[in-house]
Amino acid sequence: MLIKIIKRTTSFSLIILIAVIAMSCQQHSKIYGNTEIELSESHCIAIFDKLPYFSVSFDADIEVPNLPEYYAADVKAKSLSAEGLEYLIHTCVGGDDSIQLFKQWELSKDELMVKLEKAKQYAGTEKVTDDYVKWLEESINNAAETPARIPLKLNDVPIGIPVLAYAKNSSNNSIALIYFVRDGDFLFLYQRDKFTEVVPESMTAEHQFDPNYETEAHFRRKKPETPAISQNEAYAVAIQCLDVIASDLKLYSSEPCSILKDSAIDKETGWMFVFTREAFGLQGRYEEGWTFVNPDYQPSHVAAWAPEIVKIAVDSTGICSLLWQGASRIISDTAQTVSLLPVEEVPSIVADTLYRIYGEHLNENGIGFAFEVTDMKLGMSLVSSDGKDNEARLIPSWYIYYNKRWCDAEEYMVPNKLILSAIDGNYIEPRITTDDIR
Amino acid sequence: MKRILVLVCALVMVMAIASTAFAVYSSYTNKAIAGGPSQDVLTGTRERSNNIYVKVDGYENLKEGFRFRGYDHSTGSTCTVLSDEITGTGNWYASYTSLPKTVRVKMSIKSSDPSVIMKWSGSITA
């Protein structure tokens, strides 16, 4: 009897095991196997089009820093104490000791009226939006006789949650906006004026125009023009600021930006600099945008916290905004050399991964996507360490930049990128965090 | 001993219910939006530093022409880039280009046909 039970249990377990293996093989089986790839050190040409109405083609530049070895290492999250925040606020707002902080700073009725009068002069033009005028009118109607201006002490700020505050320097009248997290996720934002909007050139690309939201004239008004400060001068200001706040990040990108005030009545063109983490010769890559995750094919790893960046916008009067988030430090004794997947294996993994993510996206004609890969860049990505909230791992990764369109259309959609671990080719998503998918 | 245990259990339950009742989550589930002018889909006070989250659950009639963007709820200026056209069900995350206190997500819809519907859920908070 006992032998029978053991036999039956063993047979049943074997069937289950085979089924699991078969399913896992099916899950990881390659859709695109033996496609011919034309590969040099700096360029890749390939076409993966064996499936009807879905294709991935490569005419892509390859960027791989020439390094003797590649490394992965653990990193630890930093956070901002009350003292650290005070230092950053003084650095951005001004160096003297007379900075006052407020948790609430409302404009008086008179101040709002001045803004409304100014806005009305430009009503109906590209310099003012209807939303802004409407907001001013509502604010005037709701304004108290004595505007609420409640002082704030950094030591009284709740821990671990984003806090919005206002900073006033006695030497000028403008109210700076400060947004930060104390003793939690590393986040610090300084904006010289509450009514300022910084719009980098990349946010004014044609695909960013939404006729449902704004007129074409409003959209064009946001576009940066000739900067009032040279790129070199602006960079010197940004790099000095980086030095003062003791950030060791490296310049990743720079572009002109519009600094708009009071809707878009006042406008100056300056420069926006983005700094990211470089480690062991490879740099993290950062672009703003939307990220799609297919719940049926999720990334093997996401980031433990927000991407580590410093963004500084500079105009002719100095720094007009600074964002510092996701700061971390490398735990140097955890650095390990790693072998990278051969480059020639990457294109077919890219084609497979894009199919698994987007294969079921069809337009009204039942047609799928045509992806056109334009760049393959080796960089660094931060991915979570299992079960650890404030530790993560920096790993070499492939950033695959592409354009996409429907196979039966010529119009391209918003460009995007796919990110793969360069160690094993796994699909990773460092643009979203464990918090996002919890 | 039994009474103390019952009392502790009751206290824990009351605290759990109270914490749920008072938590303000800017999250929405099982919502639907139809074709027509650009519409607000969610508004909320941010409780975390990164990423707006919108989950697209399904479509009726047409599945093209929907685009999302985040805005500063007070001044109406943008705080995320405009999304690509949403082309399938799944999860969409946007990084912030600026950090307003209260965020409004609007959906821009190409079709004005009210029978064109997208079903979605989403949040601005953790």
Side-chain angles (χ1 to χ4, degrees):
Chain A
M1 181 66 181
L2 186 67
I3 291 170
K4 253 187 179 177
I5 291 170
I6 291 171
K7 270 185 177 173
R8 277 187 186 167
T9 315
T10 314
S11 312
F12 183 69
S13 306
L14 260 172
I15 290 166
I16 296 284
L17 188 69
I18 289 164
V20 167
I21 291 169
M23 276 174 70
S24 96
C25 284
Q26 195 185 0
Q27 218 173 22
H28 299 289
S29 67
K30 283 200 162 187
I31 300 159
Y32 298 104
N34 305 315
T35 301
E36 201 175 308
I37 297 168
E38 213 180 302
L39 189 74
S40 71
E41 267 187 15
S42 59
H43 203 76
C44 171
I45 292 177
I47 297 175
F48 299 86
D49 61 355
K50 75 174 186 186
L51 293 171
Y53 311 128
F54 185 90
S55 70
V56 181
S57 61
F58 286 73
D59 187 351
D61 289 332
I62 302 175
E63 190 182 297
V64 180
N66 191 12
L67 299 167
E69 282 177 317
Y70 297 97
Y71 288 86
D74 289 347
V75 292
K76 210 170 171 56
K78 285 183 183 175
S79 63
L80 277 168
S81 64
E83 293 75 32
L85 281 165
E86 195 170 1
Y87 177 75
L88 286 177
I89 292 167
H90 276 263
T91 302
C92 294
V93 179
D96 61 26
D97 291 322
S98 55
I99 293 167
Q100 290 174 285
L101 283 179
F102 298 86
K103 60 180 161 189
Q104 196 172 358
W105 179 278
E106 286 181 354
L107 291 185
S108 69
K109 209 167 232 180
D110 287 347
E111 286 166 324
L112 287 163
M113 285 295 287
V114 171
K115 286 199 176 288
L116 183 62
E117 287 308 312
K118 186 178 173 185
K120 276 184 171 170
Q121 289 175 36
Y122 299 96
T125 73
E126 75 282 7
K127 293 185 177 181
V128 170
T129 62
D130 292 345
D131 270 355
Y132 177 66
V133 173
K134 198 174 143 196
W135 177 77
L136 282 173
E137 285 169 345
E138 279 172 10
S139 300
I140 289 167
N141 287 337
N142 299 329
E145 284 306 314
T146 314
R149 292 173 181 179
I150 305 168
L152 173 76
K153 283 184 181 163
L154 286 173
N155 282 322
D156 297 339
V157 164
I159 285 169
I161 59 166
V163 171
L164 182 68
Y166 303 93
K168 188 176 182 301
N169 184 336
S170 59
S171 60
N172 64 45
N173 286 324
S174 69
I175 302 296
L177 187 146
I178 312 286
Y179 195 80
F180 58 87
V181 176
R182 182 189 151 202
D183 295 320
D185 289 346
F186 195 107
L187 174 71
F188 178 80
L189 170 78
Y190 157 78
Q191 202 172 296
R192 192 165 57 204
D193 186 282
K194 185 185 170 181
F195 291 91
T196 293
E197 184 185 5
V198 179
V199 183
E201 191 167 51
S202 49
M203 273 184 72
T204 62
E206 288 306 308
H207 55 67
Q208 288 299 299
F209 174 50
D210 176 6
N212 283 327
Y213 164 63
E214 59 194 345
T215 65
E216 197 173 341
H218 282 117
F219 178 69
R220 303 254 170 256
R221 174 71 178 162
K222 289 183 186 170
K223 279 187 182 287
E225 293 166 15
T226 307
I229 180 172
S230 76
Q231 188 172 9
N232 284 345
E233 282 173 307
Y235 181 63
V237 172
I239 208 79
Q240 190 192 3
C241 173
L242 206 68
D243 190 41
V244 173
I245 64 173
S247 166
D248 57 352
L249 301 188
K250 191 184 166 191
L251 181 67
Y252 173 65
S253 66
S254 65
E255 60 179 326
C257 64
S258 293
I259 294 118
L260 307 169
K261 197 176 169 191
D262 294 333
S263 196
I265 297 173
D266 302 321
K267 176 181 173 183
E268 187 183 330
T269 298
W271 290 92
M272 168 79 87
F273 300 96
V274 178
F275 299 85
T276 64
R277 165 74 55 203
E278 188 192 65
F280 312 107
L282 294 177
Q283 191 168 12
R285 307 190 68 84
Y286 181 84
E287 285 89 20
E288 309 283 5
W290 286 75
T291 304
F292 173 68
V293 172
N294 184 337
D296 297 329
Y297 189 70
Q298 299 212 24
S300 66
H301 284 89
V302 296
W305 53 81
E308 184 174 14
I309 54 162
V310 171
K311 261 202 295 191
I312 301 176
V314 178
D315 66 6
S316 59
T317 45
I319 289 170
C320 53
S321 73
L322 179 146
L323 169 71
W324 190 5
Q325 68 172 31
S328 66
R329 71 177 169 80
I330 297 172
I331 307 168
S332 49
D333 59 3
T334 63
Q336 288 175 321
T337 55
V338 288
S339 303
L340 303 192
L341 201 70
V343 182
E344 56 269 28
E345 289 183 27
V346 175
S348 65
I349 295 173
V350 169
D352 261 42
T353 310
L354 287 173
Y355 179 74
R356 288 177 202 284
I357 298 170
Y358 292 101
E360 289 179 1
H361 290 217
L362 306 172
N363 67 10
E364 55 190 335
N365 303 322
I367 305 290
F369 281 129
F371 289 89
E372 295 173 13
V373 176
T374 57
D375 291 279
M376 299 165 61
K377 299 186 178 193
L378 192 66
M380 270 290 186
S381 288
L382 182 81
V383 291
S384 59
S385 296
D386 296 334
K388 293 175 185 169
D389 275 347
N390 65 346
E391 278 188 34
R393 197 158 173 80
L394 274 174
I395 59 166
S397 49
W398 280 106
Y399 288 76
I400 311 295
Y401 290 82
Y402 59 76
N403 291 314
K404 77 174 193 284
R405 58 179 173 81
W406 295 116
C407 284
D408 62 350
E410 287 182 358
E411 191 186 338
Y412 288 101
M413 298 180 181
V414 180
N416 213 323
K417 61 180 182 259
L418 173 75
I419 307 166
L420 302 174
S421 158
I423 300 168
D424 53 18
N426 271 336
Y427 161 43
I428 58 172
E429 195 44 271
R431 291 173 290 182
I432 63 171
T433 67
T434 44
D435 264 356
D436 291 325
I437 57 168
R438 228 167 241 167
Chain B
M1 186 63 187
K2 236 180 182 179
R3 276 188 182 173
I4 293 170
L5 256 171
V6 169
L7 205 68
V8 169
C9 283
L11 197 69
V12 168
M13 276 179 70
V14 168
M15 281 170 72
I17 291 165
S19 69
T20 312
F22 293 119
V24 181
Y25 295 114
S26 306
S27 62
Y28 301 75
T29 49
N30 299 323
K31 294 283 180 183
I33 189 159
S38 178
Q39 294 160 62
D40 291 359
V41 290
L42 58 147
T43 301
T45 304
R46 294 176 49 236
E47 289 171 11
R48 62 177 177 183
S49 54
N50 55 311
N51 294 343
I52 289 172
Y53 160 60
V54 179
K55 176 171 172 273
V56 176
D57 299 314
Y59 306 87
E60 282 175 23
N61 298 320
L62 184 73
K63 48 178 290 184
E64 287 176 75
F66 294 89
R67 301 180 80 177
F68 295 107
R69 184 152 63 185
Y71 299 88
D72 182 330
H73 182 57
S74 56
T75 61
S77 57
T78 60
C79 68
T80 73
V81 300
L82 181 63
S83 79
D84 210 343
E85 284 196 17
I86 307 298
T87 54
T89 54
N91 304 332
W92 300 81
Y93 302 88
S95 60
Y96 284 103
T97 54
S98 63
L99 298 171
K101 188 177 183 184
T102 306
V103 174
R104 179 164 33 128
V105 178
K106 277 183 163 187
M107 194 185 301
S108 175
I109 308 160
K110 203 189 270 179
S111 169
S112 57
D113 181 352
S115 71
V116 171
I117 287 170
M118 175 191 274
K119 292 174 179 169
W120 61 275
S121 310
S123 74
I124 292 164
T125 60

